[in-house]
Amino acid sequence: MNNPSEEFLEQGISQQNLRKASCMTVVTLAYQSLGVVYGDLSTSPLYVYKTTFSGKLSLHENDEEIYGVLSFIFWTFTFIALFKYILIVMSADDNGEGGTFALYSLLCRHGSLSILPNQQATDETLSAYATHGSMETWQSSALKSFFEKHPRFRKGLFIFVILGTCMTIGDGVLTPTISVLSAVSGVKLKITALHENYVVLISCVIIVGLFSLQHHGTHRVAFMFAPIVAAWLLCISSIGIYNIFRWNPHIFHALSPVYMLKFLKSTGTEGWISLGGVVLSITGVETMFADLGHFSSLSIRVAFTFLVYPCLVLAYMGEAAFLSKHHEDIQRSFYKAIPEAVFWPVFVVATFAAVVGSQAVISATFSVISQCCALNCFPYVKIIHTSSKIYGQIYIPEVNWILMCLCLAVTIGLRDTNMMGHAYGLAVTTVMFVTTCLMALVMIIVWKQRIASAVAFLVIFGSMELLYISASVYKVPEGGWIPLVLAFIFMAIMYIWNYGMTKKHEFDVENKVSMNRIVALGPSLGMVRVPGIGLIYTNLVTGVPAVFGHFVTNLPAFHQVLVFVCVKSIQVPYISEKERLVISRVGPKEYCMFRCIIRYGYKDLQQENYDFENRLVSGIVQFVEAEEDSTLKPTSIPCGELRNLDIKIFYAQDHTLTDSKFKDNNIMEQSCCDILETKTGMEHSGSSPLKEESLQILRAKESGVTFILGHSYAKAKKSSSILKKFAINVVYSFLSKNCREPDVVLNVPHTSLLEVGMVYYV
């Protein structure tokens, strides 16, 4: 088989033109990444110096302090943003996806750290589950063995990941408030009579407008994002160059790390506390990693290295040069440093850039909440796909309005970007430290690096981040409490929900019906089998759920064909459609009972709105047709009424069939009656007719499909503590009653829905 380059050569495309096309693709993606990835990071100059000099350090406004702060900004930006994220962390992608969950997913697969229920050996055959790589080292084996022997540490790691996730959600609240308010506050320089209340009001109007437009989807305005951020970066870098040459051409001396030591020596405790403002220069680097799935790692690296990094460094140097000659303007230095002639254009661009930066974080928050729902860490919420062309662009109404209310509360309540900066700094540094710790584990367990390399990575970058966390913690009374409160609330919700769902699964496992009991009832199951298909949704991938036991005991009749449907998540970002469904038989053949497992990745959208009934029936028919004729190796299926399907069968000793990918969107447009009519044509053409069981299933489909869902209610045992009773009987019960019901999540038609209530005690 020819490689792609040889194929292009055969078509008359030269190797040189091929390289040009590849380079153009990277450059195009790098340009597009500006609007999605770098909006938050590029707006940091609006508030970094202002927040850094907001405390008692403002009394030390001489050149040595300004030089020291610039040195800290430059080396922090270089070490953490460039060295840590661009050079190292960006390489730890999970099938092209980045972020905290991607690192945790890698660890779960390579180190067997997953706490998700229903994990099976067949999941490891997924194309996205690949764990092959270099040979195991004694360090990686020892670390994996440690986690296997100590389940509490696996649970602790999970809680640690949830902490980083909750701080990311906190970013979704703080980024719009500080970015928009910082941008709008610049108008007070030109309209001095404008009261602070009007600045807050304008900021609130912009925030309300920003969240009100979310339901349209970012794709409708995304084409504007990249030009805005590009124009913003060019503006602030040009102004930075202007200020360097006009006010202090020797400002580049501040890049020497010696000035950091002088700064700490001369300012002491106040200098250390001010580092909580310096860390705001790298807000957005975690978003850069989290949005890796939308672009290639090379394009993000190119955009940062050749445009974002130099532009922001020039902007910080220019503002420091201006401050070295204007100590009195320390609290409004950004807008004061703008030349009079270009003030209003830059102000407009700054406002738009703040909105773009906020949009990126809001979209990331939606994505994080969606992933938490998939991993049973957050109550089910309504998830809307806002783009039919771009996968992953989603909108969550409930979360959107909650974020808006929280943003308005912070904006109106604090009214001060300095206090917001203190809160923002603590949230950002916590997320970065979580990433550093997870990355050190990835280096040992996934990359099979020596433990010395991982320890060096953890010590170098972890110590820097702990230094900034310590400075931010000192500011807890001055706004730093906000991310802590938000993180505590979201962590409580996530942990209680995950605990309740785990106990529900344990209850289902303990109370599942014995197969011996089912077999003893005979093929009729002790009931009248009426025409139709019954889909029983369950959390179990093996065994018969307790819900079915209720039917066997209390109902006189049930459907002719029974299918136990299990929707489960796997620790991979995406699962292809051809690997989505796994169908197997339950019990003897004459019982006509099947199991369908629907597998999702943590970034897949769990919505069965793509003709699921017909897909399921066709998959069962394929399984029945292949069951007797198959061997342990892949088997082909004759074309006929299923000719629209590209069949791929995985047939193992447990009689499992992996469903295939449909070639077009018009899946099973024929009704089952039409399919049955094709039997005669198949017989005349010499093709093998469908088996009797297959025809029975198709006739049952024509008689109707009923969806049976178990509705479980959790209650704490009487012997439980007061805290546990409050968590289960109040919090978990409230979340269960107010979240999206399973039938809505699965898009089940209400006319065909039957719910069975059950109570379980935890």
Side-chain angles (χ1 to χ4, degrees):
M1 181 177 178
N2 295 335
N3 60 46
S5 59
E6 290 175 350
E7 293 177 359
F8 280 119
L9 288 172
E10 290 175 1
Q11 298 172 10
I13 301 177
S14 66
Q15 189 73 24
Q16 183 179 1
N17 289 336
L18 180 61
R19 284 196 296 267
K20 287 182 179 178
S22 179
C23 291
M24 284 302 298
T25 302
V26 172
V27 172
T28 302
L29 287 174
Y31 172 72
Q32 293 175 347
S33 70
L34 293 176
V36 178
V37 177
Y38 294 110
D40 184 15
L41 185 64
S42 64
T43 54
S44 296
L46 285 169
Y47 43 77
V48 169
Y49 282 106
K50 181 178 184 295
T51 307
T52 303
F53 288 97
S54 61
K56 296 180 181 179
L57 189 65
S58 58
L59 301 177
H60 305 278
E61 294 169 7
N62 56 43
D63 287 354
E64 189 168 290
E65 274 68 38
I66 294 172
Y67 276 40
V69 169
L70 175 59
S71 184
F72 262 106
I73 290 174
F74 173 77
W75 288 109
T76 301
F77 198 59
T78 301
F79 265 91
I80 294 182
L82 183 61
F83 292 164
K84 175 188 168 183
Y85 279 90
I86 292 296
L87 297 183
I88 301 176
V89 176
M90 293 287 284
S91 301
D93 65 287
D94 180 17
N95 293 284
E97 296 295 327
T100 305
F101 271 110
L103 296 178
Y104 182 61
S105 174
L106 286 173
L107 293 172
C108 287
R109 297 206 306 274
H110 289 79
S112 302
L113 304 180
S114 178
I115 62 172
L116 285 177
N118 289 331
Q119 301 304 297
Q120 298 173 291
T122 53
D123 297 337
E124 299 180 11
T125 63
L126 290 167
S127 56
Y129 204 98
T131 57
H132 59 274
S134 56
M135 296 291 292
E136 286 282 345
T137 62
W138 71 266
Q139 294 102 325
S140 61
S141 299
L143 194 56
K144 287 195 287 186
S145 177
F146 173 79
F147 279 109
E148 289 174 1
K149 293 178 180 178
H150 301 85
R152 290 186 177 181
F153 284 93
R154 289 205 305 269
K155 191 73 174 180
L157 179 64
F158 173 73
I159 295 174
F160 190 59
V161 172
I162 292 298
L163 171 63
T165 303
C166 293
M167 285 297 185
T168 302
I169 298 174
D171 286 350
V173 175
L174 296 170
T175 298
T177 56
I178 190 172
S179 298
V180 173
L181 187 59
S182 297
V184 174
S185 61
V187 75
K188 293 179 65 176
L189 292 179
K190 297 299 179 182
I191 309 177
T192 55
L194 188 65
H195 195 273
E196 181 185 358
N197 290 341
Y198 291 103
V199 175
V200 173
L201 178 62
I202 295 171
S203 301
C204 290
V205 169
I206 294 176
I207 290 173
V208 171
L210 174 63
F211 283 97
S212 299
L213 295 175
Q214 291 300 311
H215 70 279
H216 293 296
T218 57
H219 67 285
R220 297 187 184 277
V221 289
F223 70 95
M224 295 177 56
F225 286 3
I228 289 173
V229 176
W232 168 250
L233 289 171
L234 293 176
C235 280
I236 60 177
S237 59
S238 301
I239 294 171
I241 294 173
Y242 168 81
N243 286 323
I244 290 172
F245 282 99
R246 180 174 181 182
W247 302 111
N248 192 346
H250 302 290
I251 194 67
F252 66 89
H253 291 157
L255 302 184
S256 170
V258 174
Y259 282 97
M260 290 192 293
L261 300 176
K262 291 183 178 180
F263 172 78
L264 292 177
K265 185 177 180 180
S266 62
T267 58
T269 303
E270 295 303 326
W272 162 66
I273 295 173
S274 70
L275 296 181
V278 172
V279 77
L280 297 180
S281 62
I282 51 175
T283 57
V285 292
E286 191 65 34
T287 304
M288 180 173 63
F289 177 47
D291 288 330
L292 179 61
H294 296 284
F295 306 94
S296 65
S297 59
L298 179 59
S299 62
I300 292 179
R301 284 167 168 161
V302 167
F304 182 85
T305 307
F306 294 101
L307 181 62
V308 178
Y309 179 78
C311 286
L312 289 177
V313 169
L314 287 172
Y316 288 122
M317 290 178 64
E319 191 171 347
F322 175 83
L323 281 174
S324 65
K325 306 300 180 183
H326 302 83
H327 293 175
E328 69 282 359
D329 293 326
I330 197 76
Q331 284 300 304
R332 48 187 184 276
S333 59
F334 178 81
Y335 282 109
K336 277 285 190 177
I338 300 174
E340 190 73 23
V342 296
F343 177 86
W344 286 112
V346 173
F347 172 78
V348 172
V349 175
T351 305
F352 279 111
V355 172
V356 171
S358 303
Q359 176 63 59
V361 177
I362 293 170
S363 300
T365 304
F366 291 158
S367 179
V368 166
I369 295 293
S370 175
Q371 294 169 28
C372 290
C373 290
L375 298 177
N376 287 337
C377 297
F378 200 83
Y380 300 120
V381 291
K382 184 178 182 180
I383 300 176
I384 301 173
H385 209 322
T386 59
S387 174
S388 59
K389 298 180 180 179
I390 305 175
Y391 191 85
Q393 290 194 356
I394 59 176
Y395 167 66
I396 305 177
E398 297 94 333
V399 175
N400 181 69
W401 302 123
I402 290 174
L403 285 179
M404 187 191 76
C405 293
L406 290 174
C407 285
L408 293 176
V410 172
T411 304
I412 297 172
L414 296 184
R415 296 169 170 255
D416 183 6
T417 55
N418 292 331
M419 294 184 69
M420 294 177 186
H422 301 153
Y424 198 16
L426 182 58
V428 169
T429 50
T430 304
V431 176
M432 289 190 297
F433 183 69
V434 170
T435 298
T436 299
C437 295
L438 293 178
M439 192 65 209
L441 293 176
V442 167
M443 294 176 73
I444 299 174
I445 296 176
V446 182
W447 290 356
K448 309 297 189 293
Q449 296 289 322
R450 294 180 179 179
I451 195 169
S453 302
V455 171
F457 176 86
L458 183 62
V459 169
I460 293 173
F461 296 108
S463 59
M464 294 178 62
E465 289 156 1
L466 285 176
L467 174 65
Y468 288 122
I469 289 175
S470 65
S472 300
V473 167
Y474 190 85
K475 294 288 187 178
V476 166
E478 302 176 25
W481 57 270
I482 294 176
L484 294 179
V485 171
L486 291 175
F488 175 79
I489 293 173
F490 281 106
M491 279 193 71
I493 291 173
M494 290 183 180
Y495 185 82
I496 292 174
W497 182 261
N498 179 262
Y499 178 81
M501 295 296 288
T502 301
K503 290 299 180 181
K504 180 178 183 297
H505 180 263
E506 292 177 358
F507 172 83
D508 290 339
V509 171
E510 292 173 359
N511 293 273
K512 64 183 180 181
V513 182
S514 169
M515 276 305 301
N516 293 331
R517 179 186 172 190
I518 298 296
V519 172
L521 294 173
S524 66
L525 300 177
M527 301 180 293
V528 177
R529 302 293 289 270
V530 298
I533 297 178
L535 302 183
I536 302 177
Y537 282 84
T538 173
N539 295 321
L540 303 176
V541 294
T542 59
V544 178
V547 173
F548 184 67
H550 283 269
F551 282 104
V552 173
T553 305
N554 301 307
L555 291 182
F558 204 73
H559 301 88
Q560 184 180 10
V561 179
L562 304 182
V563 184
F564 300 107
V565 180
C566 174
V567 181
K568 73 170 188 176
S569 296
I570 300 176
Q571 232 65 77
V572 295
Y574 300 106
I575 294 177
S576 62
E577 288 300 319
K578 67 181 180 181
E579 299 175 311
R580 179 84 65 204
L581 304 184
V582 178
I583 298 174
S584 59
R585 188 183 291 279
V586 178
K589 181 178 179 180
E590 58 270 17
Y591 285 59
C592 207
M593 295 192 301
F594 302 90
R595 186 184 310 281
C596 175
I597 300 175
I598 311 172
R599 302 184 292 188
Y600 285 99
Y602 59 82
K603 298 202 76 171
D604 281 323
L605 294 181
Q606 296 191 16
Q607 292 179 335
E608 301 299 340
N609 55 1
Y610 52 95
D611 204 6
F612 173 66
E613 294 178 23
N614 285 332
R615 284 201 65 182
L616 178 60
V617 171
S618 66
I620 295 175
V621 170
Q622 294 172 46
F623 173 80
V624 171
E625 291 295 306
E627 189 173 20
E628 294 182 357
D629 300 330
S630 297
T631 62
L632 292 180
K633 53 186 179 181
T635 305
S636 61
I637 297 293
C639 295
E641 77 287 352
L642 302 177
R643 59 186 175 275
N644 288 336
L645 303 179
D646 180 18
I647 307 298
K648 179 184 177 183
I649 299 173
F650 174 79
Y651 192 84
Q653 293 179 352
D654 61 350
H655 301 288
T656 301
L657 175 70
T658 301
D659 190 33
S660 59
K661 180 179 179 180
F662 292 85
K663 284 187 175 180
D664 53 46
N665 294 327
N666 300 320
I667 303 169
M668 292 292 290
E669 289 182 346
Q670 294 173 294
S671 68
C672 290
C673 288
D674 295 333
I675 293 177
L676 290 171
E677 290 173 0
T678 62
K679 178 185 176 184
T680 305
M682 292 171 62
E683 292 174 345
H684 287 302
S685 63
S687 300
S688 300
L690 292 176
K691 296 175 182 176
E692 183 60 34
E693 187 179 9
S694 299
L695 296 175
Q696 180 184 359
I697 294 170
L698 293 173
R699 293 191 189 100
K701 168 65 172 66
E702 282 299 299
S703 299
V705 178
T706 301
F707 298 80
I708 298 96
L709 275 74
H711 201 96
S712 301
Y713 300 90
K715 287 188 177 181
K717 297 177 181 178
K718 293 183 178 180
S719 59
S720 301
S721 64
I722 296 177
L723 181 61
K724 185 175 181 179
K725 288 181 179 179
F726 175 78
I728 299 299
N729 296 342
V730 179
V731 180
Y732 183 76
S733 177
F734 174 81
L735 295 175
S736 300
K737 292 177 181 178
N738 290 277
C739 72
R740 303 274 290 181
E741 296 291 342
D743 58 303
V744 179
V745 176
L746 298 168
N747 201 30
V748 174
H750 288 281
T751 55
S752 305
L753 175 64
L754 181 62
E755 290 190 87
V756 179
M758 298 182 69
V759 178
Y760 63 98
Y761 292 88
V762 297

